[in-house]
Amino acid sequence: MAAHKSSAPLIEVTARPGKPLGMAPATFLRDFWQKRPLLIRNAFADFQTPVQPEDLAGLACEEGVLARLIQHDKAQDSWRVRSGPFREDVFPALPDHDWTLLVQDVDKWDKDVRAVIEHFSFLPRWRMDDVMISFAATGGSVGAHVDQYDVFLLQAHGHRRWQIDASESIKGKRPPLGFRPDVELKLLQVFKPTHDWVLAPGDMLYLPPNVPHHGVAEDPCLTFSFGMRAPSSAELISDYLDTLIADADENIRYQDPDLKVPADPNEIDTVAMARVITALNAIRMNDPDKLGDWFGRFITTYRAAGEVMAHQAAPAPEEVVQALASGLLLQRHPWARLAWRRAKRGASLYVSGQDFALPVKDAQRLAGAEQLDAAAYRGLSDKGRAVLQQLLVGGVFQLIDPNEVYADEDEDDVLGEVVEGHDQVAELDDEVVSDDVHTVTVRDDGIEVIVNFDDHDEDDSDDGRA
């Protein structure tokens, strides 16, 4: 559908073979990134969603999953927000309109969703926060709002109407950003859209921070939201100061060996303040490597929703070599966040808040690897293999048998099942495969969601966890 008629400059393009952004990545970064919105028609040509609505409903009922259910009473213009995990009887009781289910960090639970992130390799990988997926019944919405970070909204199934206010980026006029006081959601009091589009599967909308937007499902639909990490100055300063305090040298103090008799002993004069600045400057991180190590540790733990833990004792190095030679792989834990940085000597690898000194090639290989096979393992230096052994002990990597774990990958799996372990998986026990049945029937007049579960979660309750 064509854009709503507007005097605003055109911010809609159509993707072409080899140019999923409709332009070169460098052009997108120069002209649009953190500057103005962009609608990319057919960005993901012939996109087939790896997640179905029933998968999302099932995942929202699991412990440890961050999920919200938002309902809108249009007659009263009232909003109801509930947080998961949800009981199995919630979804069948919902109407066929005006509600939205949002589930965060779906990329951590589903490898096919995680694979979609590779399409955003034109951005630093450590900037990607998570993939949130929303399912909305017809009319479902979360209201007009703004995000404090860059976001790509990929239409995965069905159709969603997006209205945005791009007045700041195209007219230089900042829109009002006040929130409504009568709802717990941060909804805008005033929203005047400049653009109005309906997105079909494969279309994608990019929004810089603080662009007001409002999405409403035209029919039952799924939307993938790729959010970027954008720590605030307060968050950066807080963590930075914690590091400074932890490493502070007690010998660095306020000093005044050049003290003169004051004109007024009660005055904090400009000379005293200069000494305060000198004392503060003495404890800041002047070493680029120390500053870089702090940021690397910070950004690989920032907004982490899950904790990486080892579930079994790690195999010995010689056992790892044997296992890889037999065809097993080293698989990265989905919750682990890795990045690397060049240092004065070699490189630093950052892994979920830890840092390791490594040769550049080792740091690059480990930071970019979802899996490591025998050849990749042999390609590491002795130091790289030693660090990898530490990561095995910490649960960041684990040995898996790809033939066993992914034998049924073409079948309809229940999203959220995690098979972990350091030992070879001989076979999948029947109990690993859930008997849960999830069905969604889409009718012309709406959607009927039926979620049947076995009774292993009968004691779970909606505890209101955010």
Side-chain angles (χ1 to χ4, degrees):
M1 180 176 290
H4 178 71
K5 290 184 178 180
S6 170
S7 59
L10 184 66
I11 54 175
E12 176 179 350
V13 297
T14 299
R16 305 191 301 275
K19 291 187 176 181
L21 293 171
M23 63 191 75
T27 303
F28 169 80
L29 294 175
R30 182 195 66 201
D31 296 340
F32 291 93
W33 177 253
Q34 296 205 333
K35 301 173 187 70
R36 53 181 173 151
L38 178 67
L39 172 63
I40 309 165
R41 295 289 188 187
N42 208 30
F44 285 71
D46 302 317
F47 184 75
Q48 297 295 318
T49 175
V51 176
Q52 299 300 322
E54 60 268 28
D55 298 323
L56 205 64
L59 185 57
C61 295
E62 297 289 340
E63 289 289 343
V65 175
L66 298 177
R68 289 172 294 159
L69 183 61
I70 299 175
Q71 293 176 264
H72 183 206
D73 183 339
K74 292 181 178 177
Q76 303 294 325
D77 193 21
S78 61
W79 298 81
R80 182 186 182 192
V81 183
R82 286 182 279 175
S83 297
F86 299 105
R87 294 182 62 89
E88 63 270 23
D89 57 356
V90 168
F91 297 104
L94 291 171
D96 61 3
H97 57 88
D98 299 337
W99 61 270
T100 301
L101 172 66
L102 304 102
V103 181
Q104 292 180 237
D105 291 298
V106 182
D107 54 302
K108 315 302 191 302
W109 298 95
D110 184 83
K111 64 184 179 64
D112 293 322
V113 173
R114 188 159 61 252
V116 181
I117 295 177
E118 296 302 318
H119 291 272
F120 296 87
S121 59
F122 59 92
L123 298 171
R125 180 64 182 85
W126 54 265
R127 281 280 269 127
M128 182 71 71
D129 192 2
D130 76 325
V131 183
M132 182 181 74
I133 299 181
S134 66
F135 169 77
T138 301
S141 175
V142 298
H145 64 286
V146 295
D147 295 317
Q148 301 298 320
Y149 46 82
D150 301 88
V151 64
F152 293 85
L153 299 164
L154 169 64
Q155 195 60 29
H157 172 76
H159 301 80
R160 186 186 292 268
R161 178 178 297 276
W162 283 105
Q163 296 177 312
I164 71 169
D165 181 354
S167 56
E168 182 172 18
S169 59
I170 61 180
K171 299 179 182 177
K173 182 179 179 181
R174 186 173 178 83
L177 299 179
F179 298 131
R180 287 177 52 173
D182 57 331
V183 293
E184 59 179 295
L185 293 168
K186 290 186 176 181
L187 302 184
L188 296 172
Q189 285 183 314
V190 178
F191 176 66
K192 296 180 179 180
T194 59
H195 294 75
D196 187 327
W197 299 290
V198 173
L199 272 63
D203 293 342
M204 184 168 69
L205 176 62
Y206 163 69
L207 296 173
N210 291 315
V211 173
H213 53 286
H214 184 208
V216 180
E218 294 280 290
D219 48 32
C221 70
L222 285 167
T223 303
F224 287 25
S225 174
F226 299 84
M228 304 294 142
R229 291 176 206 152
S232 67
S233 57
E235 291 169 315
L236 288 169
I237 291 171
S238 176
D239 195 86
Y240 178 71
L241 287 178
D242 286 343
T243 303
L244 286 181
I245 292 170
D247 298 337
D249 184 350
E250 285 293 318
N251 293 319
I252 298 177
R253 295 175 178 270
Y254 177 92
Q255 299 180 52
D256 51 6
D258 56 345
L259 185 64
K260 302 292 190 296
V261 176
D264 183 343
N266 299 306
E267 179 189 5
I268 301 174
D269 57 24
T270 55
V271 176
M273 288 309 304
R275 297 190 189 102
V276 171
I277 294 172
T278 299
L280 290 174
N281 286 340
I283 63 172
R284 70 183 180 183
M285 293 183 190
N286 293 317
D287 185 336
D289 277 349
K290 285 186 177 181
L291 185 63
D293 286 343
W294 157 73
F295 183 74
R297 293 190 298 267
F298 168 80
I299 202 63
T300 55
T301 53
Y302 176 65
R303 289 176 57 86
E307 186 175 359
V308 178
M309 298 179 65
H311 295 284
Q312 298 181 17
E318 58 273 15
E319 294 174 326
V320 174
V321 173
Q322 293 174 0
L324 293 175
S326 70
L328 270 65
L329 299 175
L330 285 166
Q331 174 74 44
R332 182 198 293 192
H333 194 292
W335 295 104
R337 289 178 170 173
L338 279 72
W340 74 280
R341 182 186 63 84
R342 295 182 189 274
K344 291 179 180 177
R345 293 185 178 181
S348 292
L349 175 69
Y350 307 103
V351 185
S352 298
Q354 303 178 76
D355 60 276
F356 303 91
L358 280 174
V360 170
K361 289 185 178 179
D362 287 346
Q364 286 178 308
R365 177 170 286 131
L366 291 176
E370 286 284 335
Q371 294 180 336
L372 293 166
D373 59 12
Y377 185 84
R378 289 193 300 270
L380 296 171
S381 68
D382 290 343
K383 195 168 186 178
R385 287 192 287 270
V387 168
L388 180 56
Q389 184 64 28
Q390 294 183 60
L391 299 181
L392 270 166
V393 171
V396 174
F397 281 92
Q398 56 195 8
L399 281 169
I400 64 166
D401 185 336
N403 296 321
E404 297 289 349
V405 174
Y406 301 123
D408 299 323
E409 66 178 352
D410 293 330
E411 298 181 5
D412 293 331
D413 298 326
V414 175
L415 196 67
E417 291 290 342
V418 180
V419 178
E420 299 182 311
H422 297 290
D423 298 328
Q424 179 174 347
V425 180
E427 61 180 353
L428 286 179
D429 190 270
D430 290 342
E431 293 181 359
V432 173
V433 183
S434 173
D435 292 328
D436 302 351
V437 179
H438 313 279
T439 65
V440 171
T441 303
V442 179
R443 307 191 308 267
D444 291 339
D445 59 345
I447 184 164
E448 177 183 9
V449 181
I450 303 172
V451 185
N452 297 321
F453 295 83
D454 59 20
D455 59 1
H456 73 281
D457 287 332
E458 63 182 1
D459 293 331
D460 290 351
S461 62
D462 184 358
D463 60 5
R465 180 179 56 81

